[in-house]
Amino acid sequence: MRRIIDLTAFGDLATLGMARFNAAVRDDPGVSYASVVGKSGRLRTNPLLWPSHLYLAERSGPNDGVVPANSQAWGEVLREVEADHWAQIGWWSRGFDAASLYEDLLRELRGRGF
């Protein structure tokens, strides 16, 4: 039996799809929004992400191999890190310590009363 993979989510994540989402889903004034912005140079990026990193670099500039840096900020930018997307989520790293990043963010947010 052949499985069919639904790829419609990729359209939702594209520029037009995100513009539609942002127009339909407004920020809640009772919620604090924050983000971490990541970017990486090609040699600090997992080689499996090199094609997407190059594609994004040519079209949008600095990126983490999956998301352009200029699309990552939402609310307060808590950190700007030099790491590819996979390193940021702890999948693979060339010297980036994702666990320490998240521990530090949690300490900061706890210090702010969250």
Side-chain angles (χ1 to χ4, degrees):
M1 177 175 169
R2 178 180 245 186
R3 287 190 171 196
I4 298 174
I5 298 173
D6 184 359
L7 301 176
T8 56
F10 286 109
D12 294 339
L13 294 173
T15 303
L16 183 58
M18 291 309 306
R20 281 193 300 260
F21 175 85
N22 290 337
V25 180
R26 308 312 296 168
D27 286 353
D28 184 320
V31 174
S32 295
Y33 297 90
S35 53
V36 172
V37 174
K39 60 184 177 184
S40 61
R42 187 178 63 84
L43 296 179
R44 301 245 340 146
T45 300
N46 183 303
L48 295 174
L49 292 175
W50 285 357
S52 58
H53 189 274
L54 178 61
Y55 176 86
L56 292 170
E58 290 174 350
R59 285 157 182 77
S60 303
N63 67 85
D64 66 3
V66 177
V67 182
N70 63 10
S71 295
Q72 297 175 31
W74 196 268
E76 179 185 359
V77 176
L78 298 176
R79 298 284 185 288
E80 292 186 22
V81 298
E82 181 71 26
D84 73 30
H85 198 84
W86 289 353
Q88 292 173 59
I89 62 173
W91 280 6
W92 177 88
S93 176
R94 286 189 177 164
F96 183 76
D97 186 353
S100 290
L101 168 68
Y102 292 110
E103 287 172 7
D104 188 41
L105 288 171
L106 289 172
R107 276 191 292 277
E108 180 177 337
L109 294 172
R110 183 175 54 211
R112 294 181 181 198
F114 291 103

